[in-house]
Amino acid sequence: KQEVTQIPAALSVPEGENLVLNCSFTDSAIYNLQWFRQDPGKGLTSLLLIQSSQREQTSGRLNASLDKSSGRSTLYIAASQPGDSATYLCAVSAGNMLTFGGGTRLMVKP
Amino acid sequence: EAGVAQSPRYKIIEKRQSVAFWCNPISGHATLYWYQQILGQGPKLLIQFQNNGVVDDSQLPKDRFSAERLKGVDSTLKIQPAKLEDSAVYLCASSLRLAGVETQYFGPGTRLLVL
């Protein structure tokens, strides 16, 4: 059974810092890995999707990497802003089924 | 393009009462999912529909939860009777497959509090 773990569970940083969120998964037989953002009272917004054959994806200040063999992914956020404050979830896909980690709650202080 | 719609947004009930949630997926999306997200945890899949057929309901507590998707469009999720541990956000998602990649789009969720 796939298990996804995210560390840390919560993170508070001053504005402008670069930061890394970690995700690990137990079964490397995945189709892809996604990072989502969840704002309070809102649904999930997909940020980046990395196919199992890919090593990384970039979108603006976000960069996600995937090391399938070690069961790890990182989400790098450059020059963090208060608007980045949210919960970040990673999810791995086997077919249509997504298995989510518990999330990292990020607070970026002005 | 309209997103996934869910109602109600919030619901407070007492234990042993019944409750129902409604989801309207994005037009043309054949696959629909219901997730349960307990506070501080990631979403957990409850049930997946492909059109109006069930693909996976292995994590649905069938003694109290039921779901249907009539005509392969809207879906309802029901809890009867509710327990305290059912307090959570219930997320609906629909998906589209493009270039071999299945992308799920999530609704805002229904926040349920069972007292």
Side-chain angles (χ1 to χ4, degrees), chain B residues 11-76:
Chain B
K11 191 74 177 179
I12 301 174
I13 61 173
E14 295 186 349
K15 60 183 179 183
R16 292 188 288 274
Q17 285 187 324
S18 301
V19 65
F21 312 130
W22 173 83
C23 173
N24 178 236
I26 294 173
S27 177
H29 285 196
T31 310
L32 184 147
Y33 312 79
W34 283 100
Y35 290 86
Q36 179 193 57
Q37 186 176 21
I38 293 172
L39 186 65
Q41 299 180 17
K44 182 186 81 171
L45 179 69
L46 292 176
I47 189 167
Q48 176 187 343
F49 291 95
Q50 181 75 18
N51 296 309
N52 60 348
V54 176
V55 174
D56 184 347
D57 64 356
S58 57
Q59 299 191 88
L60 187 73
K62 299 181 186 65
D63 57 333
R64 298 184 301 105
F65 286 65
S66 64
E68 60 182 8
R69 190 182 184 196
L70 298 175
K71 301 179 182 178
V73 182
D74 293 2
S75 177
T76 56

Side-chain angles (χ1 to χ4, degrees), chain A residues 21-80:
Chain A
L21 308 182
N22 296 291
C23 173
S24 61
F25 47 95
T26 55
D27 186 348
S28 62
I30 63 171
Y31 286 1
N32 57 56
L33 182 144
Q34 279 187 273
W35 282 93
F36 290 86
R37 170 181 172 140
Q38 186 173 32
D39 292 283
K42 304 276 181 69
L44 279 65
T45 301
S46 180
L47 298 172
L48 290 165
L49 183 148
I50 312 176
Q51 298 274 38
S52 62
S53 59
Q54 297 174 324
R55 298 282 292 183
E56 66 176 345
Q57 282 286 340
T58 297
S59 175
R61 293 182 295 109
L62 306 179
N63 175 275
S65 67
L66 173 64
D67 184 343
K68 214 173 71 158
S69 61
S70 67
R72 294 178 189 276
S73 175
T74 61
L75 177 67
Y76 176 82
I77 303 177
S80 59

